[in-house]
Amino acid sequence: MALCFQISPPVIKSQFFSNPFSSQFSPKKPTNFFRICCSQSGEDENPNSNATSKQQKKLSQQSSWESKDSEGKDYLYRLGAEADNMNIAVGARAGVIDDLFTGNFLGKDSDIVFDYRQKATRSFEYLQGDYYIAPLFMVHYFCHIVKNYIAHLLNVKVPLILGIWGGKGQGKTFQTELIFRALGVEPIIMSAGELESERAGEPGKLIRERYRTASQVVQNQGKMSCLMINDIDAGLGRFGNTQMTVNNQIVVGTLMNIADNPTRVSIGQVWRETDITNRVPIIVTGNDFTTIYAPLIRDGRMDKFYWQPTQEDIVNIVQRMYEKDGITKDEVVSIVSKFPNQALDFYGALRSRTYDRSILKWVNDAGGAENLGSRLLKQKKEGKLPVFTAPKQTLEALLESGYDLIKEQNLIMETKLSKEYMKNMDD
């Protein structure tokens, strides 16, 4: 490979300078150049073979290394300019980089986790059946998602974040998943546990990466997407004397910045004018937003919706839950009236408690508790496990399970063993 430089010597005007070739170095029309070529062969290259040499130096017809962006920078320049670049998903894809680097020893792609990493969304195929979606819940979600996708057409300030808050166990997350399935949204899901890390700045960067991933779902798959953070107050809330960490501050600042500039989200790379992120809504759930930094939840950045299901909502949701068991709507109304002021997850736990006796019978049929572990782990050698038969649900069995759950709730509230262990603890 030759390294060539073309140098045009400067024109020197001096009365002491005399050169027989001075006419060739006229400032009006430079016609002669010095060509310095350093070649491995030690021979000069033919200047007429520039097009041929460029064609030979191209890595591959499928290679993207020489491709230019809108600023005229090639692929390698862009990778070098980006800080902490981990773009192995592009570098190891067959058809994008040469087979010399990709190889076939691991199949078509060398990146064995590519498919797993790219499928960061959730599609909710497991939600089979007919479920009830509260109309008020649906209206808030539908309006928020649609407003954000047509924000460029509206002459109003559209908050990027929707905050759903309310009591524990009221079905905020489950109702959200049902709406995602109904609208065909494939969201990126985060939890409060990902908002803290032993490395400073890591959670904030993770939020930006997840937001950009949701944006890429819209661009590459043609599906609606969003970023959803469950129980955000558990990760960012201030309770009592809890310490405010650097990561808490960075996460709050990151969400505030994304809400203000939803189309310009950086993950550390050099800014480019062409790097425009598709605007996607952010949805967060929590129990008490008063524990969160106030500027984050202000009206310009976050729409708030307090979810407290009505009696009608509870009856309809529980009815769909018990519909497959043959429980009528009148019986559902009776159960709800027997246990007032209970969260929706109470009625799910109530139905689950009725399975206890059937599970104990199944364990005995499988050989007892002593042999259960080996039977579960060695099903092929020990033979098939007995078929589990679901119990027949009745109103009496459900009420009996409900009273047991109420009894356990009261024991927790009334029996405070911590006072027995720490006598000087204040109430």
PDB file of all heavy atoms in Angstrom, residues 134-141 144 161-167 171-172 175-176 179 283-287 289 297 299 302-309 313:
ATOM      1  N   ALA A 134     -60.424  -0.503  32.827  1.00  0.00           N
ATOM      2  CA  ALA A 134     -61.239   0.601  33.329  1.00  0.00           C
ATOM      3  C   ALA A 134     -61.269   1.736  32.304  1.00  0.00           C
ATOM      4  O   ALA A 134     -60.216   2.143  31.792  1.00  0.00           O
ATOM      5  CB  ALA A 134     -60.685   1.107  34.658  1.00  0.00           C
ATOM      6  N   PRO A 135     -62.434   2.262  31.966  1.00  0.00           N
ATOM      7  CA  PRO A 135     -62.528   3.319  30.945  1.00  0.00           C
ATOM      8  C   PRO A 135     -61.706   4.558  31.276  1.00  0.00           C
ATOM      9  O   PRO A 135     -61.040   5.122  30.397  1.00  0.00           O
ATOM     10  CB  PRO A 135     -64.028   3.636  30.908  1.00  0.00           C
ATOM     11  CG  PRO A 135     -64.698   2.419  31.429  1.00  0.00           C
ATOM     12  CD  PRO A 135     -63.769   1.846  32.438  1.00  0.00           C
ATOM     13  N   LEU A 136     -61.725   4.996  32.533  1.00  0.00           N
ATOM     14  CA  LEU A 136     -60.965   6.175  32.904  1.00  0.00           C
ATOM     15  C   LEU A 136     -59.475   5.955  32.738  1.00  0.00           C
ATOM     16  O   LEU A 136     -58.736   6.847  32.297  1.00  0.00           O
ATOM     17  CB  LEU A 136     -61.288   6.563  34.356  1.00  0.00           C
ATOM     18  CG  LEU A 136     -60.703   7.880  34.861  1.00  0.00           C
ATOM     19  CD1 LEU A 136     -61.213   9.043  34.024  1.00  0.00           C
ATOM     20  CD2 LEU A 136     -61.033   8.086  36.333  1.00  0.00           C
ATOM     21  N   PHE A 137     -59.024   4.761  33.079  1.00  0.00           N
ATOM     22  CA  PHE A 137     -57.616   4.407  32.907  1.00  0.00           C
ATOM     23  C   PHE A 137     -57.240   4.436  31.427  1.00  0.00           C
ATOM     24  O   PHE A 137     -56.189   4.942  31.036  1.00  0.00           O
ATOM     25  CB  PHE A 137     -57.368   3.014  33.494  1.00  0.00           C
ATOM     26  CG  PHE A 137     -55.987   2.798  34.026  1.00  0.00           C
ATOM     27  CD1 PHE A 137     -55.716   2.969  35.366  1.00  0.00           C
ATOM     28  CD2 PHE A 137     -54.954   2.427  33.190  1.00  0.00           C
ATOM     29  CE1 PHE A 137     -54.450   2.763  35.873  1.00  0.00           C
ATOM     30  CE2 PHE A 137     -53.682   2.224  33.668  1.00  0.00           C
ATOM     31  CZ  PHE A 137     -53.427   2.392  35.018  1.00  0.00           C
ATOM     32  N   MET A 138     -58.105   3.885  30.614  1.00  0.00           N
ATOM     33  CA  MET A 138     -57.853   3.816  29.180  1.00  0.00           C
ATOM     34  C   MET A 138     -57.790   5.205  28.560  1.00  0.00           C
ATOM     35  O   MET A 138     -56.936   5.479  27.698  1.00  0.00           O
ATOM     36  CB  MET A 138     -58.961   2.993  28.511  1.00  0.00           C
ATOM     37  CG  MET A 138     -58.811   2.808  27.021  1.00  0.00           C
ATOM     38  SD  MET A 138     -57.451   1.686  26.637  1.00  0.00           S
ATOM     39  CE  MET A 138     -57.684   1.492  24.862  1.00  0.00           C
ATOM     40  N   VAL A 139     -58.667   6.096  28.990  1.00  0.00           N
ATOM     41  CA  VAL A 139     -58.715   7.440  28.411  1.00  0.00           C
ATOM     42  C   VAL A 139     -57.408   8.180  28.666  1.00  0.00           C
ATOM     43  O   VAL A 139     -56.844   8.813  27.761  1.00  0.00           O
ATOM     44  CB  VAL A 139     -59.921   8.215  28.982  1.00  0.00           C
ATOM     45  CG1 VAL A 139     -59.800   9.698  28.665  1.00  0.00           C
ATOM     46  CG2 VAL A 139     -61.222   7.659  28.421  1.00  0.00           C
ATOM     47  N   HIS A 140     -56.891   8.120  29.891  1.00  0.00           N
ATOM     48  CA  HIS A 140     -55.671   8.838  30.218  1.00  0.00           C
ATOM     49  C   HIS A 140     -54.483   8.295  29.425  1.00  0.00           C
ATOM     50  O   HIS A 140     -53.668   9.069  28.898  1.00  0.00           O
ATOM     51  CB  HIS A 140     -55.389   8.753  31.719  1.00  0.00           C
ATOM     52  CG  HIS A 140     -56.134   9.773  32.532  1.00  0.00           C
ATOM     53  ND1 HIS A 140     -57.460   9.622  32.879  1.00  0.00           N
ATOM     54  CD2 HIS A 140     -55.742  10.970  33.044  1.00  0.00           C
ATOM     55  CE1 HIS A 140     -57.849  10.672  33.590  1.00  0.00           C
ATOM     56  NE2 HIS A 140     -56.827  11.504  33.693  1.00  0.00           N
ATOM     57  N   TYR A 141     -54.369   6.987  29.347  1.00  0.00           N
ATOM     58  CA  TYR A 141     -53.255   6.402  28.604  1.00  0.00           C
ATOM     59  C   TYR A 141     -53.367   6.727  27.118  1.00  0.00           C
ATOM     60  O   TYR A 141     -52.378   7.099  26.471  1.00  0.00           O
ATOM     61  CB  TYR A 141     -53.235   4.882  28.802  1.00  0.00           C
ATOM     62  CG  TYR A 141     -52.304   4.441  29.891  1.00  0.00           C
ATOM     63  CD1 TYR A 141     -52.713   4.404  31.212  1.00  0.00           C
ATOM     64  CD2 TYR A 141     -50.998   4.052  29.612  1.00  0.00           C
ATOM     65  CE1 TYR A 141     -51.871   3.999  32.215  1.00  0.00           C
ATOM     66  CE2 TYR A 141     -50.135   3.642  30.611  1.00  0.00           C
ATOM     67  CZ  TYR A 141     -50.571   3.610  31.911  1.00  0.00           C
ATOM     68  OH  TYR A 141     -49.724   3.210  32.900  1.00  0.00           O
ATOM     69  N   HIS A 144     -52.537  10.372  26.366  1.00  0.00           N
ATOM     70  CA  HIS A 144     -51.130  10.699  26.559  1.00  0.00           C
ATOM     71  C   HIS A 144     -50.271  10.140  25.427  1.00  0.00           C
ATOM     72  O   HIS A 144     -49.382  10.840  24.902  1.00  0.00           O
ATOM     73  CB  HIS A 144     -50.657  10.138  27.898  1.00  0.00           C
ATOM     74  CG  HIS A 144     -49.222  10.471  28.201  1.00  0.00           C
ATOM     75  ND1 HIS A 144     -48.812  11.715  28.607  1.00  0.00           N
ATOM     76  CD2 HIS A 144     -48.094   9.706  28.129  1.00  0.00           C
ATOM     77  CE1 HIS A 144     -47.500  11.716  28.787  1.00  0.00           C
ATOM     78  NE2 HIS A 144     -47.043  10.510  28.492  1.00  0.00           N
ATOM     79  N   ILE A 161     -43.960  12.869  30.188  1.00  0.00           N
ATOM     80  CA  ILE A 161     -44.093  11.822  31.204  1.00  0.00           C
ATOM     81  C   ILE A 161     -45.528  11.761  31.697  1.00  0.00           C
ATOM     82  O   ILE A 161     -46.168  12.793  31.923  1.00  0.00           O
ATOM     83  CB  ILE A 161     -43.138  12.089  32.387  1.00  0.00           C
ATOM     84  CG1 ILE A 161     -41.691  12.278  31.891  1.00  0.00           C
ATOM     85  CG2 ILE A 161     -43.191  10.948  33.387  1.00  0.00           C
ATOM     86  CD1 ILE A 161     -40.722  12.676  32.980  1.00  0.00           C
ATOM     87  N   LEU A 162     -46.039  10.551  31.856  1.00  0.00           N
ATOM     88  CA  LEU A 162     -47.336  10.309  32.489  1.00  0.00           C
ATOM     89  C   LEU A 162     -47.090   9.554  33.784  1.00  0.00           C
ATOM     90  O   LEU A 162     -46.527   8.456  33.768  1.00  0.00           O
ATOM     91  CB  LEU A 162     -48.252   9.502  31.572  1.00  0.00           C
ATOM     92  CG  LEU A 162     -49.582   9.048  32.185  1.00  0.00           C
ATOM     93  CD1 LEU A 162     -50.448  10.250  32.562  1.00  0.00           C
ATOM     94  CD2 LEU A 162     -50.345   8.130  31.239  1.00  0.00           C
ATOM     95  N   GLY A 163     -47.494  10.149  34.897  1.00  0.00           N
ATOM     96  CA  GLY A 163     -47.306   9.523  36.205  1.00  0.00           C
ATOM     97  C   GLY A 163     -48.605   8.943  36.731  1.00  0.00           C
ATOM     98  O   GLY A 163     -49.559   9.679  36.987  1.00  0.00           O
ATOM     99  N   ILE A 164     -48.656   7.628  36.880  1.00  0.00           N
ATOM    100  CA  ILE A 164     -49.822   6.934  37.430  1.00  0.00           C
ATOM    101  C   ILE A 164     -49.504   6.587  38.879  1.00  0.00           C
ATOM    102  O   ILE A 164     -48.562   5.841  39.150  1.00  0.00           O
ATOM    103  CB  ILE A 164     -50.146   5.644  36.645  1.00  0.00           C
ATOM    104  CG1 ILE A 164     -50.245   5.949  35.148  1.00  0.00           C
ATOM    105  CG2 ILE A 164     -51.423   5.015  37.149  1.00  0.00           C
ATOM    106  CD1 ILE A 164     -51.377   6.848  34.779  1.00  0.00           C
ATOM    107  N   TRP A 165     -50.273   7.137  39.798  1.00  0.00           N
ATOM    108  CA  TRP A 165     -49.997   6.874  41.209  1.00  0.00           C
ATOM    109  C   TRP A 165     -51.298   6.534  41.919  1.00  0.00           C
ATOM    110  O   TRP A 165     -52.398   6.828  41.460  1.00  0.00           O
ATOM    111  CB  TRP A 165     -49.308   8.074  41.863  1.00  0.00           C
ATOM    112  CG  TRP A 165     -50.149   9.311  41.951  1.00  0.00           C
ATOM    113  CD1 TRP A 165     -50.528  10.131  40.941  1.00  0.00           C
ATOM    114  CD2 TRP A 165     -50.717   9.859  43.140  1.00  0.00           C
ATOM    115  NE1 TRP A 165     -51.305  11.161  41.406  1.00  0.00           N
ATOM    116  CE2 TRP A 165     -51.438  11.020  42.762  1.00  0.00           C
ATOM    117  CE3 TRP A 165     -50.690   9.488  44.482  1.00  0.00           C
ATOM    118  CZ2 TRP A 165     -52.110  11.804  43.678  1.00  0.00           C
ATOM    119  CZ3 TRP A 165     -51.359  10.275  45.395  1.00  0.00           C
ATOM    120  CH2 TRP A 165     -52.058  11.410  45.001  1.00  0.00           C
ATOM    121  N   GLY A 166     -51.166   5.885  43.046  1.00  0.00           N
ATOM    122  CA  GLY A 166     -52.330   5.462  43.819  1.00  0.00           C
ATOM    123  C   GLY A 166     -51.947   4.426  44.853  1.00  0.00           C
ATOM    124  O   GLY A 166     -50.763   4.155  45.085  1.00  0.00           O
ATOM    125  N   GLY A 167     -52.952   3.850  45.488  1.00  0.00           N
ATOM    126  CA  GLY A 167     -52.721   2.891  46.551  1.00  0.00           C
ATOM    127  C   GLY A 167     -52.068   1.618  46.064  1.00  0.00           C
ATOM    128  O   GLY A 167     -52.044   1.303  44.870  1.00  0.00           O
ATOM    129  N   GLY A 171     -53.704  -2.450  40.820  1.00  0.00           N
ATOM    130  CA  GLY A 171     -53.662  -2.876  39.429  1.00  0.00           C
ATOM    131  C   GLY A 171     -53.124  -1.847  38.459  1.00  0.00           C
ATOM    132  O   GLY A 171     -53.470  -1.885  37.274  1.00  0.00           O
ATOM    133  N   LYS A 172     -52.267  -0.943  38.922  1.00  0.00           N
ATOM    134  CA  LYS A 172     -51.728   0.080  38.015  1.00  0.00           C
ATOM    135  C   LYS A 172     -50.895  -0.547  36.907  1.00  0.00           C
ATOM    136  O   LYS A 172     -51.056  -0.226  35.721  1.00  0.00           O
ATOM    137  CB  LYS A 172     -50.884   1.084  38.818  1.00  0.00           C
ATOM    138  CG  LYS A 172     -51.666   1.887  39.850  1.00  0.00           C
ATOM    139  CD  LYS A 172     -50.786   2.872  40.570  1.00  0.00           C
ATOM    140  CE  LYS A 172     -49.779   2.208  41.474  1.00  0.00           C
ATOM    141  NZ  LYS A 172     -50.412   1.477  42.593  1.00  0.00           N
ATOM    142  N   GLN A 175     -53.165  -3.042  34.611  1.00  0.00           N
ATOM    143  CA  GLN A 175     -54.010  -2.297  33.694  1.00  0.00           C
ATOM    144  C   GLN A 175     -53.184  -1.658  32.576  1.00  0.00           C
ATOM    145  O   GLN A 175     -53.619  -1.597  31.419  1.00  0.00           O
ATOM    146  CB  GLN A 175     -54.779  -1.216  34.457  1.00  0.00           C
ATOM    147  CG  GLN A 175     -55.884  -1.729  35.355  1.00  0.00           C
ATOM    148  CD  GLN A 175     -57.146  -2.081  34.566  1.00  0.00           C
ATOM    149  OE1 GLN A 175     -57.763  -1.250  33.924  1.00  0.00           O
ATOM    150  NE2 GLN A 175     -57.524  -3.346  34.638  1.00  0.00           N
ATOM    151  N   THR A 176     -51.973  -1.209  32.916  1.00  0.00           N
ATOM    152  CA  THR A 176     -51.090  -0.643  31.901  1.00  0.00           C
ATOM    153  C   THR A 176     -50.715  -1.689  30.859  1.00  0.00           C
ATOM    154  O   THR A 176     -50.710  -1.412  29.652  1.00  0.00           O
ATOM    155  CB  THR A 176     -49.825  -0.078  32.560  1.00  0.00           C
ATOM    156  OG1 THR A 176     -50.193   0.932  33.503  1.00  0.00           O
ATOM    157  CG2 THR A 176     -48.896   0.524  31.526  1.00  0.00           C
ATOM    158  N   ILE A 179     -53.512  -2.281  28.452  1.00  0.00           N
ATOM    159  CA  ILE A 179     -53.644  -1.201  27.472  1.00  0.00           C
ATOM    160  C   ILE A 179     -52.563  -1.317  26.402  1.00  0.00           C
ATOM    161  O   ILE A 179     -52.821  -1.101  25.210  1.00  0.00           O
ATOM    162  CB  ILE A 179     -53.597   0.161  28.174  1.00  0.00           C
ATOM    163  CG1 ILE A 179     -54.834   0.331  29.060  1.00  0.00           C
ATOM    164  CG2 ILE A 179     -53.500   1.300  27.177  1.00  0.00           C
ATOM    165  CD1 ILE A 179     -54.836   1.587  29.882  1.00  0.00           C
ATOM    166  N   ILE A 283     -43.765   6.590  30.781  1.00  0.00           N
ATOM    167  CA  ILE A 283     -44.840   6.313  31.742  1.00  0.00           C
ATOM    168  C   ILE A 283     -44.202   5.773  33.011  1.00  0.00           C
ATOM    169  O   ILE A 283     -43.389   4.844  32.967  1.00  0.00           O
ATOM    170  CB  ILE A 283     -45.852   5.310  31.164  1.00  0.00           C
ATOM    171  CG1 ILE A 283     -46.540   5.906  29.936  1.00  0.00           C
ATOM    172  CG2 ILE A 283     -46.883   4.919  32.210  1.00  0.00           C
ATOM    173  CD1 ILE A 283     -47.433   4.945  29.194  1.00  0.00           C
ATOM    174  N   VAL A 284     -44.546   6.354  34.128  1.00  0.00           N
ATOM    175  CA  VAL A 284     -44.015   5.928  35.419  1.00  0.00           C
ATOM    176  C   VAL A 284     -45.179   5.626  36.353  1.00  0.00           C
ATOM    177  O   VAL A 284     -46.247   6.235  36.259  1.00  0.00           O
ATOM    178  CB  VAL A 284     -43.085   6.995  36.039  1.00  0.00           C
ATOM    179  CG1 VAL A 284     -41.905   7.266  35.127  1.00  0.00           C
ATOM    180  CG2 VAL A 284     -43.834   8.282  36.319  1.00  0.00           C
ATOM    181  N   THR A 285     -44.977   4.660  37.225  1.00  0.00           N
ATOM    182  CA  THR A 285     -45.971   4.320  38.241  1.00  0.00           C
ATOM    183  C   THR A 285     -45.349   4.486  39.623  1.00  0.00           C
ATOM    184  O   THR A 285     -44.127   4.401  39.778  1.00  0.00           O
ATOM    185  CB  THR A 285     -46.485   2.879  38.073  1.00  0.00           C
ATOM    186  OG1 THR A 285     -45.386   1.953  38.275  1.00  0.00           O
ATOM    187  CG2 THR A 285     -47.069   2.668  36.685  1.00  0.00           C
ATOM    188  N   GLY A 286     -46.193   4.717  40.615  1.00  0.00           N
ATOM    189  CA  GLY A 286     -45.721   4.875  41.978  1.00  0.00           C
ATOM    190  C   GLY A 286     -46.881   4.969  42.942  1.00  0.00           C
ATOM    191  O   GLY A 286     -48.051   4.993  42.538  1.00  0.00           O
ATOM    192  N   ASN A 287     -46.558   5.001  44.214  1.00  0.00           N
ATOM    193  CA  ASN A 287     -47.569   5.094  45.261  1.00  0.00           C
ATOM    194  C   ASN A 287     -47.698   6.493  45.852  1.00  0.00           C
ATOM    195  O   ASN A 287     -48.794   6.907  46.206  1.00  0.00           O
ATOM    196  CB  ASN A 287     -47.266   4.087  46.380  1.00  0.00           C
ATOM    197  CG  ASN A 287     -47.294   2.647  45.910  1.00  0.00           C
ATOM    198  OD1 ASN A 287     -46.293   1.940  45.964  1.00  0.00           O
ATOM    199  ND2 ASN A 287     -48.437   2.210  45.425  1.00  0.00           N
ATOM    200  N   PHE A 289     -46.086  10.309  45.020  1.00  0.00           N
ATOM    201  CA  PHE A 289     -45.200  11.188  44.266  1.00  0.00           C
ATOM    202  C   PHE A 289     -44.723  12.383  45.069  1.00  0.00           C
ATOM    203  O   PHE A 289     -43.886  13.147  44.582  1.00  0.00           O
ATOM    204  CB  PHE A 289     -45.905  11.673  42.999  1.00  0.00           C
ATOM    205  CG  PHE A 289     -45.948  10.642  41.898  1.00  0.00           C
ATOM    206  CD1 PHE A 289     -46.598  10.916  40.706  1.00  0.00           C
ATOM    207  CD2 PHE A 289     -45.346   9.410  42.056  1.00  0.00           C
ATOM    208  CE1 PHE A 289     -46.643   9.975  39.690  1.00  0.00           C
ATOM    209  CE2 PHE A 289     -45.382   8.454  41.050  1.00  0.00           C
ATOM    210  CZ  PHE A 289     -46.031   8.742  39.868  1.00  0.00           C
ATOM    211  N   ILE A 297     -41.862  16.486  38.672  1.00  0.00           N
ATOM    212  CA  ILE A 297     -43.285  16.161  38.522  1.00  0.00           C
ATOM    213  C   ILE A 297     -44.130  17.400  38.239  1.00  0.00           C
ATOM    214  O   ILE A 297     -45.358  17.346  38.338  1.00  0.00           O
ATOM    215  CB  ILE A 297     -43.815  15.449  39.779  1.00  0.00           C
ATOM    216  CG1 ILE A 297     -43.777  16.372  40.991  1.00  0.00           C
ATOM    217  CG2 ILE A 297     -43.045  14.176  40.049  1.00  0.00           C
ATOM    218  CD1 ILE A 297     -44.435  15.791  42.230  1.00  0.00           C
ATOM    219  N   ASP A 299     -46.113  20.312  36.153  1.00  0.00           N
ATOM    220  CA  ASP A 299     -47.111  20.078  35.107  1.00  0.00           C
ATOM    221  C   ASP A 299     -46.530  20.128  33.696  1.00  0.00           C
ATOM    222  O   ASP A 299     -47.034  19.455  32.801  1.00  0.00           O
ATOM    223  CB  ASP A 299     -48.243  21.110  35.226  1.00  0.00           C
ATOM    224  CG  ASP A 299     -49.031  20.942  36.518  1.00  0.00           C
ATOM    225  OD1 ASP A 299     -49.064  19.802  37.012  1.00  0.00           O
ATOM    226  OD2 ASP A 299     -49.569  21.931  37.031  1.00  0.00           O
ATOM    227  N   MET A 302     -44.768  16.448  33.500  1.00  0.00           N
ATOM    228  CA  MET A 302     -45.466  15.212  33.833  1.00  0.00           C
ATOM    229  C   MET A 302     -46.963  15.460  33.983  1.00  0.00           C
ATOM    230  O   MET A 302     -47.390  16.388  34.676  1.00  0.00           O
ATOM    231  CB  MET A 302     -44.919  14.611  35.138  1.00  0.00           C
ATOM    232  CG  MET A 302     -45.596  13.313  35.565  1.00  0.00           C
ATOM    233  SD  MET A 302     -45.063  12.698  37.198  1.00  0.00           S
ATOM    234  CE  MET A 302     -43.360  12.256  36.847  1.00  0.00           C
ATOM    235  N   ASP A 303     -47.733  14.618  33.314  1.00  0.00           N
ATOM    236  CA  ASP A 303     -49.174  14.533  33.567  1.00  0.00           C
ATOM    237  C   ASP A 303     -49.396  13.540  34.696  1.00  0.00           C
ATOM    238  O   ASP A 303     -48.876  12.419  34.654  1.00  0.00           O
ATOM    239  CB  ASP A 303     -49.914  14.062  32.311  1.00  0.00           C
ATOM    240  CG  ASP A 303     -50.374  15.216  31.443  1.00  0.00           C
ATOM    241  OD1 ASP A 303     -50.527  16.319  31.985  1.00  0.00           O
ATOM    242  OD2 ASP A 303     -50.560  15.005  30.235  1.00  0.00           O
ATOM    243  N   LYS A 304     -50.168  13.944  35.709  1.00  0.00           N
ATOM    244  CA  LYS A 304     -50.438  13.052  36.840  1.00  0.00           C
ATOM    245  C   LYS A 304     -51.859  12.499  36.769  1.00  0.00           C
ATOM    246  O   LYS A 304     -52.783  13.199  36.358  1.00  0.00           O
ATOM    247  CB  LYS A 304     -50.258  13.787  38.170  1.00  0.00           C
ATOM    248  CG  LYS A 304     -48.820  13.860  38.659  1.00  0.00           C
ATOM    249  CD  LYS A 304     -48.044  14.980  38.019  1.00  0.00           C
ATOM    250  CE  LYS A 304     -48.598  16.343  38.383  1.00  0.00           C
ATOM    251  NZ  LYS A 304     -47.809  17.430  37.754  1.00  0.00           N
ATOM    252  N   PHE A 305     -51.987  11.249  37.155  1.00  0.00           N
ATOM    253  CA  PHE A 305     -53.298  10.608  37.176  1.00  0.00           C
ATOM    254  C   PHE A 305     -53.378   9.722  38.412  1.00  0.00           C
ATOM    255  O   PHE A 305     -52.619   8.769  38.562  1.00  0.00           O
ATOM    256  CB  PHE A 305     -53.521   9.784  35.903  1.00  0.00           C
ATOM    257  CG  PHE A 305     -54.730   8.901  35.961  1.00  0.00           C
ATOM    258  CD1 PHE A 305     -55.969   9.399  36.343  1.00  0.00           C
ATOM    259  CD2 PHE A 305     -54.639   7.560  35.638  1.00  0.00           C
ATOM    260  CE1 PHE A 305     -57.081   8.579  36.398  1.00  0.00           C
ATOM    261  CE2 PHE A 305     -55.745   6.732  35.690  1.00  0.00           C
ATOM    262  CZ  PHE A 305     -56.966   7.245  36.077  1.00  0.00           C
ATOM    263  N   TYR A 306     -54.304  10.085  39.301  1.00  0.00           N
ATOM    264  CA  TYR A 306     -54.498   9.296  40.517  1.00  0.00           C
ATOM    265  C   TYR A 306     -55.497   8.183  40.223  1.00  0.00           C
ATOM    266  O   TYR A 306     -56.650   8.442  39.878  1.00  0.00           O
ATOM    267  CB  TYR A 306     -55.003  10.192  41.650  1.00  0.00           C
ATOM    268  CG  TYR A 306     -55.304   9.449  42.929  1.00  0.00           C
ATOM    269  CD1 TYR A 306     -54.290   8.897  43.697  1.00  0.00           C
ATOM    270  CD2 TYR A 306     -56.619   9.297  43.380  1.00  0.00           C
ATOM    271  CE1 TYR A 306     -54.556   8.212  44.870  1.00  0.00           C
ATOM    272  CE2 TYR A 306     -56.897   8.612  44.549  1.00  0.00           C
ATOM    273  CZ  TYR A 306     -55.865   8.078  45.285  1.00  0.00           C
ATOM    274  OH  TYR A 306     -56.137   7.398  46.439  1.00  0.00           O
ATOM    275  N   TRP A 307     -55.065   6.951  40.390  1.00  0.00           N
ATOM    276  CA  TRP A 307     -55.896   5.802  40.074  1.00  0.00           C
ATOM    277  C   TRP A 307     -56.481   5.204  41.354  1.00  0.00           C
ATOM    278  O   TRP A 307     -55.761   4.651  42.192  1.00  0.00           O
ATOM    279  CB  TRP A 307     -55.085   4.741  39.323  1.00  0.00           C
ATOM    280  CG  TRP A 307     -55.763   3.414  39.192  1.00  0.00           C
ATOM    281  CD1 TRP A 307     -55.287   2.205  39.625  1.00  0.00           C
ATOM    282  CD2 TRP A 307     -57.031   3.128  38.583  1.00  0.00           C
ATOM    283  NE1 TRP A 307     -56.154   1.197  39.320  1.00  0.00           N
ATOM    284  CE2 TRP A 307     -57.245   1.737  38.682  1.00  0.00           C
ATOM    285  CE3 TRP A 307     -58.005   3.920  37.977  1.00  0.00           C
ATOM    286  CZ2 TRP A 307     -58.390   1.129  38.187  1.00  0.00           C
ATOM    287  CZ3 TRP A 307     -59.139   3.312  37.484  1.00  0.00           C
ATOM    288  CH2 TRP A 307     -59.324   1.944  37.594  1.00  0.00           C
ATOM    289  N   GLN A 308     -57.768   5.346  41.503  1.00  0.00           N
ATOM    290  CA  GLN A 308     -58.508   4.743  42.604  1.00  0.00           C
ATOM    291  C   GLN A 308     -59.739   4.089  41.989  1.00  0.00           C
ATOM    292  O   GLN A 308     -60.707   4.777  41.655  1.00  0.00           O
ATOM    293  CB  GLN A 308     -58.914   5.801  43.644  1.00  0.00           C
ATOM    294  CG  GLN A 308     -59.722   5.251  44.808  1.00  0.00           C
ATOM    295  CD  GLN A 308     -58.956   4.243  45.635  1.00  0.00           C
ATOM    296  OE1 GLN A 308     -57.791   4.459  45.950  1.00  0.00           O
ATOM    297  NE2 GLN A 308     -59.594   3.140  45.990  1.00  0.00           N
ATOM    298  N   PRO A 309     -59.730   2.760  41.810  1.00  0.00           N
ATOM    299  CA  PRO A 309     -60.867   2.115  41.131  1.00  0.00           C
ATOM    300  C   PRO A 309     -62.151   2.268  41.927  1.00  0.00           C
ATOM    301  O   PRO A 309     -62.171   2.186  43.157  1.00  0.00           O
ATOM    302  CB  PRO A 309     -60.432   0.645  41.046  1.00  0.00           C
ATOM    303  CG  PRO A 309     -59.407   0.477  42.121  1.00  0.00           C
ATOM    304  CD  PRO A 309     -58.718   1.789  42.244  1.00  0.00           C
ATOM    305  N   ASP A 313     -65.653  -0.592  38.954  1.00  0.00           N
ATOM    306  CA  ASP A 313     -64.424  -1.100  38.361  1.00  0.00           C
ATOM    307  C   ASP A 313     -63.964  -2.373  39.054  1.00  0.00           C
ATOM    308  O   ASP A 313     -63.552  -3.340  38.390  1.00  0.00           O
ATOM    309  CB  ASP A 313     -63.326  -0.040  38.439  1.00  0.00           C
ATOM    310  CG  ASP A 313     -63.608   1.157  37.548  1.00  0.00           C
ATOM    311  OD1 ASP A 313     -64.280   0.973  36.513  1.00  0.00           O
ATOM    312  OD2 ASP A 313     -63.169   2.270  37.898  1.00  0.00           O
TER     313      ASP A 313
END
